[in-house]
Amino acid sequence: MKKTEFRTPLIQSAAVLGGVLILFAIVSSSGATSTGGGILAIIFGIGNLILFFIGMGLALLLSIAILIAIFLAAVAMVNAELASQMYSDLKKKLQTKRTIAE
């Protein structure tokens, strides 16, 4: 038997269980006492989860940009020409990635 044979079903079942647990946590923390309130809590919880992931994505992009800026500033303190070259290389690589994605 291959070791990876059961990997996909295991990951899928973990994702389903995780999703059910998240929905259960949303409903149980909402304080809803009726079925309609529970369904409404699920809808609002999914909306808040989507907003959370959007915020985390933006925060990740901002953090990476700040770290790159700090790195280039530190390199510029030692060798400004090297920092300029690194920045232009970074711009070229980002433009080629964007061209490939389109």
Side-chain angles (χ1 to χ4, degrees):
M1 241 188 234
K2 295 179 183 176
K3 289 184 178 181
T4 61
E5 186 175 342
F6 296 111
R7 182 176 292 168
T8 303
L10 184 63
I11 292 172
Q12 288 172 347
S13 63
V16 169
L17 282 173
V20 169
L21 286 175
I22 288 173
L23 289 177
F24 180 73
I26 289 170
V27 171
S28 65
S29 67
S30 71
T33 57
S34 66
T35 306
I39 293 171
L40 198 60
I42 290 174
I43 292 170
F44 284 132
I46 290 172
N48 286 335
L49 191 65
I50 291 169
L51 286 175
F52 174 75
F53 283 127
I54 290 171
M56 287 300 288
L58 291 174
L60 180 67
L61 290 175
L62 181 67
S63 297
I64 290 172
I66 289 172
L67 287 173
I68 289 172
I70 291 171
F71 173 76
L72 288 175
V75 171
M77 287 181 185
V78 176
N79 189 349
E81 187 177 309
L82 180 63
S84 175
Q85 181 63 33
M86 286 178 155
Y87 179 68
S88 64
D89 289 343
L90 178 67
K91 283 191 337 186
K92 287 178 188 174
K93 287 186 189 253
L94 289 176
Q95 287 175 351
T96 58
K97 294 281 185 186
R98 186 173 44 174
T99 305
I100 291 171
E102 292 175 352

